[in-house]
Structures are given as structure tokens and as C-alpha cells.
Amino acid sequence: MIINDLPGTTDKEFKMILYADDTSILITGANKRDFNENCKKAFPDINAWFINNRLTLNFNKTQFLEFRTNHYSNDIIQSAYDIKGITSATEARFLGLTLDNTLSWKKHIEQVVSKMCSACYALRNIKSVVTQDTLKMIYFAHIHSLLSYGIILWGNSSYAKKVFIIQKKSIRIVTNSKPRDSCRPLFKKLKIMTMFSQYSYSSIIHTVNNRHLYTPNYEIHKYRTKYNKDLHLPIANTMKYTEGPYCAAIKLYNHLPEYIKSLSFDQKHFKNTLKKFLCQHSFYSIQEYYEFKDAF
């Protein structure tokens, strides 16, 4: 309660996010010069608030993370806070996710893979003394929960295939299959979504649940076209934005079969139909999902 008024102390150009005992400040700029100036303006206001409330900032737990593209200059902005400096980091933990400064999600995926491997080891050790239904319950509790958390953010990363490899390994353990056996029929039999199907499901459901963030094509133009009811895909200058969660979710939703899209206002029916569709087809890549839609 003591920090609830902290967001009101900063300029409207900065967005402050409070969650439990974590506080994050998002600072943006049209260019590097504006970004530097905005960084310098943000901290004096926060410093004054701390002084007025007789609090101090814990520098050991405070980090500065500058998001950039892979081709961005390597200059690191040093933010002064009184005499001390805030540590500049290349990655940081936020709500169970590991963010790196290029949003490649490499570090986070490596951590997910490590935890999934440990769960696979446990599955293998107990598979001879429990039923397949019990193994399936353990799979959902300790493996699928890991790969589905935050997947709309990292599921389109080039490193995500590593998670899918471990997922297939766990499915073979649950079904007592051989290492060379195809997992596609096993996913269908167990009614478990592949990692790429789960990514599609989570992204599409997020889109339907947040319609106010998206614009349908009929609001952009009044022409009666085949794609009039699809969501408008904004023009982007960087691949990072094009492949990011916002644009990717639009493309995934627009490529749904029409009979599923027509159910989007009936949330329960839409979720069940979408899940059934993704389980039936067990997509092994996002490209496979798009190719299926093109042939539909």
C-alpha cells in the first residue's frame, strides 16, 4: 500500500508497473538522444518520492535493461542515481520470465528446457510403477505447465524448437514408445497439443479476449472483401515487431478456418473447437499451421 502512489510521481511519458513487491519503469524514446533525455528525467522524480517517504532504493536489486536490436550500437547508457550507479544488465527476471536485451528469449528457453529435462528424468524413473493416466497428470503438472507459461511471448523464437524436442521426449516416456517412434499420433491419442499448437492456442485466445487491442479490416476500409472481418495487420519496419506477439497473434487468428472464427463471440464453444482442431492436427511448426490453412 505504501508505494501505490509512486506511479503518479513520474511523467506520463514513462509507464510504471507495480506487481506485488516488484516495480518496473518502462522508458521509451523516438531515438537514442530522446531516450537518454527521458532516462535522465525519470530518476529525479523517483528519487524525490523516496526522500519524501523516507525510503531508499535497494541498488543490489535494481537493474537497468536497455532493449535493442541485434544490430544496435553497443553503447550502454549509464543512469546516475545520486552518486551511485544502477547496474546495467543484459538480462533480468520478471514475473517468472527471463528477459534479455534483444528479446531473443534464449536464456529463458534454456531454463525451461533444463526444468523439463529434470521432469523427464522423474517420469522415466516412475513410469514402471504408475499408470499412463498418472504419467499424463504428472506431465501436465511439471512439463506442459512450464512450456505454456508466457508462451505467447517466446513461442515464436528460433530457440523454441529446443522445447519441442524435450516435449516429444516426454510424450514418448508417457506412452512407453521407442526413441525413433513418431510422436504425431501419440499427441493425437493423448489429446495433448504440441508446443506450436499450444503457442497458437494461447495467442489466439489472448487475441479474442482482448479485442479492444486489435482493429478489424472493416474499420480500416469499407470494401466488402473476403478478408473484411479479419484483423488488420499493421505495417512494421523491424522483424522483431513483425514476429512479436502482437503481429503473430493477428496472423494466427486470421489463418483460422472460417467455421472456427465464426464462433469467436461464443467463448466456451470457441475454445473447445479451437483446442479440438489443434489437437487433431498436431502441428510441428508454425509454418505447417499456415500451410494447412492455405490448403483448407
Side-chain angles (χ1 to χ4, degrees):
M1 295 295 291
I2 197 171
I3 63 170
N4 283 348
D5 64 333
L6 178 57
T9 64
T10 59
D11 195 284
K12 292 182 179 180
E13 295 179 359
F14 317 129
K15 184 175 181 180
M16 189 170 293
I17 302 171
L18 304 181
Y19 186 85
D21 59 345
D22 284 335
T23 303
S24 302
I25 309 171
L26 299 181
I27 305 173
T28 60
N31 51 58
K32 195 170 182 67
R33 180 180 177 182
D34 291 346
F35 180 56
N36 272 298
E37 291 299 319
N38 290 340
C39 287
K40 292 177 182 178
K41 287 192 295 183
F43 292 103
D45 293 337
I46 298 171
N47 187 27
W49 183 90
F50 273 103
I51 293 172
N52 292 335
N53 288 273
R54 298 182 180 180
L55 297 172
T56 57
L57 184 64
N58 188 336
F59 290 97
N60 294 327
K61 294 184 178 180
T62 304
Q63 294 179 322
F64 179 87
L65 183 63
E66 181 185 0
F67 294 105
R68 60 180 70 192
T69 63
N70 291 327
H71 305 292
Y72 194 68
S73 62
N74 199 33
D75 298 331
I76 298 176
I77 296 176
Q78 298 294 333
S79 298
Y81 186 91
D82 281 342
I83 300 174
K84 303 176 183 178
I86 295 177
T87 303
S88 180
T90 56
E91 61 187 46
R93 292 280 292 175
F94 183 69
L95 301 181
L97 299 171
T98 301
L99 305 173
D100 60 88
N101 60 352
T102 60
L103 291 178
S104 69
W105 298 102
K106 181 180 179 181
K107 186 69 175 180
H108 177 75
I109 290 171
E110 287 175 350
Q111 293 171 349
V112 171
V113 167
S114 177
K115 293 177 182 178
M116 289 176 65
C117 286
S118 298
C120 283
Y121 176 77
L123 278 177
R124 187 182 294 107
N125 284 344
I126 65 171
K127 71 175 183 178
S128 60
V129 294
V130 298
T131 65
Q132 186 178 98
D133 287 340
T134 302
L135 288 174
K136 187 176 176 181
M137 290 175 59
I138 296 172
Y139 163 83
F140 274 108
H142 296 282
I143 295 179
H144 206 88
S145 60
L146 286 172
L147 71 85
S148 60
Y149 182 72
I151 195 171
I152 63 174
L153 301 173
W154 58 263
N156 207 25
S157 167
S158 59
Y159 300 99
K161 293 179 181 179
K162 296 180 180 180
V163 176
F164 185 45
I165 291 172
I166 305 302
Q167 185 192 23
K168 291 191 291 184
K169 182 179 180 180
S170 66
I171 293 298
R172 291 190 180 99
I173 295 173
V174 170
T175 57
N176 198 29
S177 301
K178 297 178 181 178
R180 302 286 293 178
D181 289 347
S182 172
C183 284
R184 199 184 295 268
L186 303 179
F187 278 111
K188 294 178 181 180
K189 178 184 176 182
L190 296 174
K191 296 181 180 179
I192 293 176
M193 286 186 281
T194 65
M195 190 215 75
F196 295 104
S197 291
Q198 180 65 57
Y199 166 67
S200 301
Y201 178 83
S202 298
S203 297
I204 292 168
I205 293 300
H206 178 269
T207 303
V208 172
N209 290 341
N210 296 274
R211 291 179 180 274
H212 61 285
L213 300 177
Y214 303 90
T215 306
N217 283 331
Y218 63 77
E219 292 186 8
I220 302 297
H221 60 75
K222 303 301 180 182
Y223 301 107
R224 294 180 178 271
T225 64
K226 179 181 178 181
Y227 307 106
N228 200 36
K229 295 182 179 179
D230 283 354
L231 300 178
H232 176 68
L233 185 66
I235 299 174
N237 295 323
T238 63
M239 287 294 294
K240 187 68 68 177
Y241 184 77
T242 302
E243 296 177 355
Y246 185 79
C247 289
I250 292 175
K251 289 185 284 187
L252 289 166
Y253 175 84
N254 288 346
H255 277 78
L256 278 175
E258 289 299 328
Y259 79 93
I260 299 181
K261 280 194 282 189
S262 65
L263 302 172
S264 61
F265 288 96
D266 182 353
Q267 192 174 76
K268 184 177 180 181
H269 197 184
F270 177 77
K271 284 184 176 181
N272 291 337
T273 305
L274 176 60
K275 186 173 182 179
K276 183 179 179 180
F277 167 74
L278 293 171
C279 284
Q280 282 179 341
H281 297 287
S282 298
F283 296 110
Y284 268 34
S285 69
I286 297 301
Q287 187 59 38
E288 187 177 311
Y289 167 82
Y290 290 140
E291 290 173 354
F292 175 86
K293 180 60 179 68
D294 291 339
F296 191 84

